[in-house]
Amino acid sequence: LASDLPLPPGLSEDLIAHAREHAGTELGHRLARLEALALATDGHADAAFAVRDRLRMRDDSGPAIEALTLELLGILAGEAPDAVLLPRALSEDAWRGARLPEAGRLQLGERLLSAGFAVEALAALRETPGPPAEATLRARAALAAGRPTEALRALAGLEKGGAAALRAEALLALGEHRAAMVAFTAADLPQEAERAAWLGGLWTEVARSGAGPEQNLARLAAASSPASADLSVEAEADEGPEAPDPEAPAPPLSLAPQPGPLADAGALIEAGADLRDLIDGLLSQHRLDEKYAPSPE
């Protein structure tokens, strides 16, 4: 059992017989513990926990019973099918608070997460920084449970094992679309970076990602959005006006249009022409798609 080897045929039956023969003695107690572990290893989970319950009634030693429970759950997490493991794990509390050994924590956490029990998976794993595999698993469980901030905490200092992509997903879940786009790009996930840009309305970045109909639509949205103009105005306001140089010569008289209602109207006309060109391009592409679409027949 300690070496995780398969048990020889008949060994479980021998253990049961000897445990019954020595019931009530220290040897009987040790044999009953081995009996429970052997039954769990052979796939008889209910029988194994029945032995645990019998020992609990005969012995008030809480720590020993708890240790046996953790051993049984560790065996089930590695070998038992979901139909056996999940009901038993959800009915027991000994494993909560990351009380299983590392291998058992990872196995149980992965099994719970795969079955859709993300919150329970978090309860099986350590909150404090641990092995990279456990931290990555905790981040996955936190994202699945809708806790992106917790996922970022788990990933602090990690770069390998998919940590970069998980960090980007956490940023996206927090609504940090630009940071998520940058993180996806750094993780060499261009499609995910484009998805983050779409979700965040970062039309200029989407438009730069290609030349298809989607990018044309993004250019249309970028051209109709006042964000760029607002940013340039804010930047000029932050910098403040430059102080005039008293020794500089007076600027020559210019007949170029000056800022004002007429200049604004002209800019709107030019922008409207650009928008019309983009719309015409999108409509033309749509007509071509319909013309050359395969016949339903």
Side-chain angles (χ1 to χ4, degrees):
L1 287 170
S3 301
D4 197 25
L5 297 174
L7 298 179
L11 181 56
S12 296
E13 290 77 4
D14 289 344
L15 277 171
I16 293 172
H18 286 295
R20 300 293 188 277
E21 179 182 354
H22 296 279
T25 67
E26 181 183 353
L27 176 60
H29 190 283
R30 293 168 56 193
L31 289 172
R33 174 183 168 276
L34 291 173
E35 174 191 349
L37 296 177
L39 288 169
T41 301
D42 283 344
H44 304 297
D46 290 339
F49 278 91
V51 174
R52 188 276 315 261
D53 294 338
R54 188 175 73 244
L55 289 174
R56 177 185 285 164
M57 289 186 294
R58 292 180 179 177
D59 189 354
D60 294 331
S61 177
I65 297 300
E66 183 176 296
L68 175 59
T69 301
L70 290 174
E71 286 185 275
L72 294 177
L73 289 171
I75 293 173
L76 297 188
E79 301 177 6
D82 285 350
V84 174
L85 169 66
L86 295 177
R88 177 58 62 179
L90 296 176
S91 66
E92 302 283 344
D93 292 326
W95 56 270
R96 296 180 183 272
R99 299 172 71 181
L100 281 169
E102 180 183 332
R105 291 199 308 271
L106 292 175
Q107 288 176 327
L108 182 59
E110 186 67 54
R111 298 284 299 276
L112 289 169
L113 179 58
S114 298
F117 295 96
V119 175
E120 286 74 13
L122 288 172
L125 302 170
R126 292 175 55 181
E127 294 185 18
T128 55
E134 185 169 7
T136 302
L137 178 58
R138 183 170 185 84
R140 289 171 50 209
L143 280 174
R147 303 177 184 177
T149 303
E150 192 169 337
L152 287 177
R153 283 200 301 266
L155 294 169
L158 290 181
E159 297 297 336
K160 297 181 179 179
L166 288 171
R167 186 177 292 107
E169 288 288 356
L171 289 169
L172 188 60
L174 287 170
E176 300 291 342
H177 299 95
R178 188 174 296 278
M181 182 191 68
V182 173
F184 278 127
T185 302
D188 197 21
L189 296 170
Q191 292 183 340
E192 298 303 317
E194 184 177 345
R195 175 171 65 95
W198 270 104
L199 292 174
L202 305 174
W203 308 124
T204 302
E205 286 74 7
V206 176
R208 291 172 180 165
S209 64
E214 295 84 359
Q215 282 71 30
N216 286 337
L217 183 61
R219 292 186 185 93
L220 176 64
S224 62
S225 173
S228 299
D230 292 344
L231 288 175
S232 63
V233 171
E234 290 176 4
E236 291 178 2
D238 291 340
E239 293 175 0
E242 294 183 2
D245 185 357
E247 298 182 359
L253 180 63
S254 174
L255 298 178
Q258 300 300 312
L262 290 178
D264 293 342
L268 287 174
I269 292 173
E270 292 180 3
D274 292 339
L275 293 179
R276 284 194 299 273
D277 290 341
L278 286 172
I279 292 172
D280 288 341
L282 289 171
L283 291 176
S284 299
Q285 182 64 44
H286 179 66
R287 294 190 192 99
L288 286 173
D289 292 343
E290 286 188 338
K291 180 178 180 180
Y292 295 104
S295 173
E297 298 176 357

